[in-house]
Amino acid sequence: MTDTATPVVGQRPPGRRATGLGLLGPAFVAAIAYVDPGNVAANLTAGARYGYLLLWVLVAANASAVVVQYLSAKLGIVTGRSLPELLGLRMRRAPRLLFWAQAEVVAAATDVAEVIGGALALHLLFGVLLVVGGLITGVVSMVILLLQHHRGARTFEAVVTAMLAVLTIGFCAGLLFAQVSPGALLAGIAPRFADSGSVLLAASMLGATVMPHAVYLHSALARDRHGDTPVGPERRRVLVATRWDVALALVLAGGVNISMLVLAAATLQGVSGTDSIPGAQHAIAENVGPVVGVLFSVGLLASGLASTSVGCMAGAEIMHGLLHVRVPLVVRRLVTLVPAIVLLALRYDPTQLLVISQVVLSFGIAFAIVPLVAYTSRRSVMGDDVNALGTKVLAWLIAAVIVALNVALIVLTVTG
């Protein structure tokens, strides 16, 4: 291995390693990125417009995400460094600054979407102005980040996991009352498209699922939880636990995404006014029941609050790894809150802003996934834990498909 790991915040001293369930947690924080407000917009739109047609996209995207997030966590565990740190060590100054710039644009787009999601939820629940809702979302997310700073990663993980549970209930409750067609549900697993619009939407769903900042952050979360785990039985045990952590977290997140699409397909298809989150929430309340509508809004609020906190952490890690500068999370939270508040104050359509943010994310996904697969496939970086041939082939195939679909999203958006 070419890099010597240095001690990191959160690393356990020898002899005090966690066991069993104590090894789980980092993936549940990263999984929040997979159920953020951008996912809500994409999944509801897919179900309302095309029914169950694009269900297979979510299944494939979530399966791909399991591989990508495990590789990210493995990189952090084996090297004791995050993906941004490794990139920062191996890139010359000019390319490193350019790489940081695109990563920060992606992080900013992510944060805009998540703050807007929280603002929309507060508007739907309490009728507050979107700008005020954005400020409240920013303040609450700041409190969550302060918990991480003062109480440690475990408390932060517990809070975020609790929010994941809340949004799971909020987004899935409607399925108890919706009339789902089993035949159509099964048919939706077969890969196919209806028209160019469905291709564009499929690419948007993928862009909303596999997100760059989750790839960057997960390596840091695993690094901080497990440290530079020594070679041997200890590392094998941690890697096995990490596979379970990633699988459980993303099966949960994938189930939430699928539930949103199925709910929209069962209750919103053909219903007018469902091309926005407020319209979809109103239609759900009308067609399924007001309680389900409220639960949906609560789920959206939990999604916005948790995902914007996680997104802010990812941005801080990107800056630290690539620029070797560590900015306090609260300061970063204040700075990154500004673009979302400005956009809300200018009264842009919030749902449209969510869609645009997913397009921006598409520009950044290749920059995260390609180096991740490259590093985890190099013996000089990973030692004996280098990707096996089958994993390497699968990872490069996933990277190629994800990059191709995101390029398609960009092209179709620009030309359409």
Side-chain angles (χ1 to χ4, degrees):
M1 215 159 60
T2 59
D3 291 313
T4 302
T6 55
V8 292
V9 176
Q11 182 173 330
R12 288 185 179 78
R16 296 183 62 188
R17 299 280 179 180
T19 58
L21 294 176
L23 292 169
L24 305 182
F28 284 83
V29 175
I32 285 293
Y34 292 84
V35 284
D36 75 350
N39 291 88
V40 177
N43 296 332
L44 291 180
T45 301
R49 289 185 185 174
Y50 295 101
Y52 303 93
L53 178 73
L54 298 178
L55 179 62
W56 65 273
V57 176
L58 290 179
V59 175
N62 205 69
S64 300
V66 170
V67 177
V68 171
Q69 294 301 141
Y70 172 68
L71 292 183
S72 178
K74 184 171 81 165
L75 183 71
I77 292 167
V78 172
T79 67
R81 297 188 186 277
S82 68
L83 177 57
E85 283 179 321
L86 288 172
L87 287 164
L89 288 170
R90 286 168 164 76
M91 298 176 76
R92 289 177 296 182
R93 179 176 172 80
R96 180 161 52 85
L97 291 176
L98 290 172
F99 195 99
W100 168 77
Q102 66 79 28
E104 285 292 352
V105 169
V106 168
T110 302
D111 209 41
V112 165
E114 291 158 350
V115 172
I116 288 173
L120 275 173
L122 289 169
H123 175 71
L124 292 171
L125 286 168
F126 306 110
V128 300
L129 294 174
L130 289 176
V131 174
V132 177
L135 289 170
I136 294 172
T137 300
V139 170
V140 174
S141 66
M142 198 178 301
V143 172
I144 296 171
L145 291 170
L146 285 171
L147 277 175
Q148 190 268 348
H149 178 72
H150 293 292
R151 301 293 298 275
R154 287 303 188 90
T155 301
F156 179 76
E157 287 174 7
V159 171
V160 172
T161 302
M163 288 188 174
L164 181 60
V166 170
L167 69 86
T168 299
I169 295 171
F171 289 143
C172 297
L175 288 182
L176 297 174
F177 308 96
Q179 295 182 347
V180 179
S181 169
L185 190 65
L186 289 175
I189 299 176
R192 66 195 194 283
F193 297 104
D195 50 33
S196 60
S198 62
V199 176
L200 176 61
L201 190 51
S204 298
M205 292 164 67
L206 180 66
T209 302
V210 183
M211 303 182 76
H213 73 288
V215 178
Y216 294 125
L217 180 63
H218 200 167
S219 57
L221 293 170
R223 173 206 64 193
D224 290 348
R225 168 60 79 85
H226 304 295
D228 188 7
T229 310
V231 177
E234 173 68 20
R235 182 179 290 178
R236 287 197 295 273
R237 182 174 66 88
V238 169
L239 289 175
V240 169
T242 298
R243 292 191 195 103
W244 279 103
D245 190 29
V246 172
L248 291 171
L250 290 183
V251 164
L252 178 61
V256 172
N257 283 321
I258 289 171
S259 296
M260 282 190 280
L261 185 145
V262 170
L263 177 63
T267 61
L268 303 183
Q269 193 173 9
V271 178
S272 61
T274 57
D275 55 349
S276 68
I277 288 180
Q281 188 270 350
H282 177 73
I284 289 172
E286 288 289 321
N287 289 276
V288 185
V291 173
V292 174
V294 170
L295 289 174
F296 176 87
S297 299
V298 171
L300 181 63
L301 179 59
S303 170
L305 292 174
S307 59
T308 194
S309 302
V310 170
C312 190
M313 285 187 67
E317 181 60 36
I318 289 167
M319 179 174 285
H320 170 64
L322 292 169
L323 298 188
H324 313 305
V325 174
R326 191 174 290 281
V327 176
L329 283 173
V330 173
V331 174
R332 185 176 177 88
R333 166 75 284 173
L334 288 171
V335 173
T336 56
L337 185 62
V338 173
I341 299 302
V342 170
L343 290 171
L344 288 172
L346 292 174
R347 298 189 178 183
Y348 285 107
D349 176 32
T351 303
Q352 186 63 26
L353 288 174
L354 289 177
V355 173
I356 293 172
S357 72
Q358 304 312 306
V359 178
V360 175
L361 291 176
S362 301
F363 284 93
I365 190 66
F367 292 98
I369 290 184
V370 170
L372 172 68
V373 177
Y375 284 157
T376 54
S377 298
R378 291 180 188 171
R379 187 170 293 276
S380 61
V381 176
M382 302 296 290
D384 291 339
D385 292 298
V386 64
N387 292 338
L389 178 60
T391 302
K392 188 184 301 184
V393 171
L394 178 60
W396 278 119
L397 178 62
I398 289 171
V401 171
I402 289 174
V403 171
L405 279 176
N406 279 278
V407 169
L409 170 61
I410 295 167
V411 171
L412 288 170
T413 301
V414 172
T415 59

